[in-house]
C-alpha cells in the first residue's frame, strides 16, 4: 500500500510483516517448508490488511516536565494534546492565548464575560463549519460549554467533593480533577439541542442532533471523545455531547478505526 499523504504531518501506512524460510535440498522438507511459507504469507497478508500504523511527528506527543513533584504538560498548544486521568497535568494557570467566541447558537445570551462560550480560534472556526453543515440538513445544534479555566474546574471539583461527603475518589468519577479536563485546552465543546432540552445527558445520543454529530463530526475535525464501550480506555462514562477538536485528518483516522484519542496514540510511532 502506498503511503497516504495527509494534511498535517501524519502518515497512515501498512505494517510490513516479513517472513523467511531456510533452504534445503531435501524435496520433502522443501515442500513442507513451502506449504508453511504459503500459510505464513497468507497470515501476514491478513495482518498487513488489518493493521494500521500512524507515523506522527514528535511535536504531537505530550512533552512533560516535573513541577512540584507532578508531571506537567509543556507543549500545551499541541492540537493533539492528550489530556485524561492518567496523563500529565495541564499547567494551573494555562489559558489559550487565542480564545474566541464561535459564531454559533448558544442556549443562553452570550457575553464576553461568559468563559464557557470560548474556544481556541482553529477549533471555533471548525465548529462554525460543522454547525452550518448541520443546519443545511435541518439539524440545529447548540453550543453549551467550551473553555473552562483551572480555577473554574477547581470550584466544580471541590463542590463535587462536598457532595460526595468528602470522598475525592468518588468526586473524580463525576468531575475531572483540576488540570485533567479537556475543557481547559479550549479544544472541546459540549453540544446539545432543543430536542434534548439543552441538557448534557446520555439521551442526547438518541436525538437526531446527537446521531448527526456521531456520524459527521469527524468530517470537521471533531471526535466523540468519550464513546460508549470505551469507558475502560478513556476513564469516563459515555458522553454523547462532548466533542473534541483534533483536526480533520486525525479525526477521520480515529473515526475509520473506531479509535479513541488514547488508542490513536497507542498506534502512533514517533518520526
Amino acid at each position: 500500500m502506498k503511503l497516504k499523504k495527509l494534511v498535517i504531518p501524519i502518515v497512515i501506512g501498512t505494517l510490513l510483516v516479513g517472513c523467511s524460510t531456510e533452504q534445503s535440498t531435501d524435496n520433502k522438507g522443501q515442500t513442507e517448508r513451502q506449504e508453511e511459507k504459503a500459510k505464513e504469507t497468507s497470515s501476514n497478508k491478513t495482518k498487513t490488511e488489518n493493521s494500521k500504523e500512524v507515523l506522527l511527528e514528535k511535536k504531537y506527543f505530550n512533552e512533560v516536565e516535573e513541577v512540584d513533584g507532578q508531571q506537567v504538560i509543556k507543549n500545551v498548544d499541541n492540537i493533539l494534546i492528550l489530556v485524561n486521568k492518567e496523563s500529565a497535568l495541564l499547567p494551573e494557570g494555562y489559558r489559550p492565548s487565542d480564545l474566541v467566541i464561535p459564531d454559533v447558537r448558544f442556549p443562553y445570551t452570550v457575553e464576553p464575560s461568559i468563559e464557557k462560550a470560548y474556544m481556541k480560534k482553529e477549533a471555533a472556526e471548525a465548529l462554525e463549519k460543522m454547525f452550518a453543515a448541520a443546519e443545511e440538513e435541518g439539524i440545529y445544534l447548540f453550543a453549551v460549554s467550551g473553555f473552562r479555566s483551572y480555577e473554574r474546574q477547581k470550584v466544580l471539583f471541590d463542590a463535587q467533593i462536598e457532595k460526595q461527603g468528602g470522598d475525592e475518589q468518588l468526586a473524580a468519577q463525576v468531575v475531572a480533577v483540576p488540570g485533567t479536563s479537556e475543557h481547559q485546552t479550549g479544544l472541546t465543546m459540549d453540544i446539545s439541542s432543543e430536542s434534548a432540552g439543552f441538557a448534557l445527558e446520555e439521551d442526547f445520543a438518541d436525538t437526531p442532533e446527537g446521531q448527526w454529530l456521531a456520524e459527521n463530526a469527524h468530517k470537521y475535525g471533531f471526535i466523540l471523545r468519550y464513546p460508549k464501550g470505551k469507558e475502560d480506555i478513556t476513564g469516563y462514562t459515555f458522553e454523547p455531547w462532548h466533542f473534541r477538536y483534533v483536526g480533520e485528518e486525525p479525526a477521520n483516522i480515529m473515526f475509520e478505526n473506531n479509535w479513541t484519542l488514547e488508542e490513536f496514540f497507542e498506534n502512533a510511532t514517533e518520526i
Side-chain angles (χ1 to χ4, degrees):
M1 180 186 289
K2 294 183 178 179
L3 295 181
K4 182 180 177 183
K5 185 177 180 182
L6 304 178
V7 176
I8 65 175
I10 300 176
V11 178
I12 281 292
T14 305
L15 286 176
L16 300 179
V17 184
C19 59
S20 62
T21 58
E22 295 180 359
Q23 298 297 319
S24 172
T25 56
D26 180 66
N27 291 336
K28 182 178 179 181
Q30 185 175 11
T31 300
E32 290 176 350
R33 277 187 286 275
Q34 286 175 340
E35 291 176 351
E36 290 175 359
K37 181 178 180 180
K39 291 179 181 179
E40 184 177 358
T41 300
S42 177
S43 175
N44 287 339
K45 182 178 179 182
T46 300
K47 290 179 182 178
T48 300
E49 290 174 344
N50 295 334
S51 300
K52 296 291 186 180
E53 180 183 28
V54 179
L55 302 181
L56 194 59
E57 284 192 22
K58 180 179 179 180
K59 66 181 181 180
Y60 292 112
F61 291 85
N62 283 355
E63 295 179 15
V64 300
E65 63 179 349
E66 187 171 315
V67 178
D68 297 329
Q70 294 182 312
Q71 296 298 309
V72 178
I73 300 172
K74 293 171 58 180
N75 55 333
V76 288
D77 291 323
N78 167 20
I79 203 71
L80 289 177
I81 188 171
L82 177 61
V83 179
N84 59 23
K85 294 180 179 181
E86 304 300 327
S87 63
L89 297 171
L90 285 161
E92 183 172 337
Y94 173 64
R95 184 184 184 94
S97 60
D98 59 345
L99 289 173
V100 298
I101 298 177
D103 185 15
V104 298
R105 294 182 198 81
F106 290 85
Y108 47 81
T109 302
V110 175
E111 298 178 357
S113 61
I114 298 180
E115 181 181 90
K116 64 182 180 179
Y118 287 83
M119 294 185 80
K120 282 180 66 70
K121 188 174 186 295
E122 182 179 341
E125 291 173 349
L127 190 78
E128 292 171 355
K129 291 179 182 178
M130 183 168 71
F131 274 47
E135 185 172 346
E136 288 180 0
E137 298 184 33
I139 299 294
Y140 298 91
L141 305 172
F142 287 78
V144 177
S145 184
F147 172 71
R148 188 182 302 149
S149 65
Y150 186 101
E151 294 76 18
R152 176 59 180 163
Q153 189 68 36
K154 188 175 186 307
V155 170
L156 295 176
F157 185 67
D158 289 346
Q160 190 63 37
I161 291 176
E162 184 176 350
K163 185 177 180 180
Q164 298 294 343
D167 193 321
E168 290 191 20
Q169 290 187 337
L170 284 178
Q173 294 177 12
V174 182
V175 178
V177 174
T180 68
S181 172
E182 278 201 331
H183 284 277
Q184 193 183 344
T185 68
L187 296 169
T188 291
M189 181 60 76
D190 291 337
I191 302 172
S192 191
S193 63
E194 187 173 3
S195 65
F198 308 119
L200 302 178
E201 298 177 352
E202 282 196 20
D203 290 347
F204 179 63
D206 300 321
T207 67
E209 296 83 3
Q211 292 172 358
W212 188 94
L213 280 169
E215 295 168 4
N216 294 281
H218 64 283
K219 300 174 185 176
Y220 307 93
F222 288 89
I223 59 171
L224 175 58
R225 184 64 179 90
Y226 306 125
K228 183 176 288 187
K230 302 277 184 147
E231 293 85 354
D232 290 343
I233 297 173
T234 65
Y236 287 94
T237 56
F238 178 41
E239 294 189 1
W241 61 83
H242 183 113
F243 286 84
R244 157 70 190 274
Y245 181 74
V246 294
E248 290 184 19
E249 289 298 337
N252 277 278
I253 292 167
M254 285 180 248
F255 181 81
E256 290 169 3
N257 289 282
N258 190 32
W259 286 344
T260 61
L261 188 56
E262 285 81 6
E263 291 170 304
F264 175 82
F265 277 104
E266 286 175 4
N267 287 277
T269 300
E270 181 182 313
I271 59 171

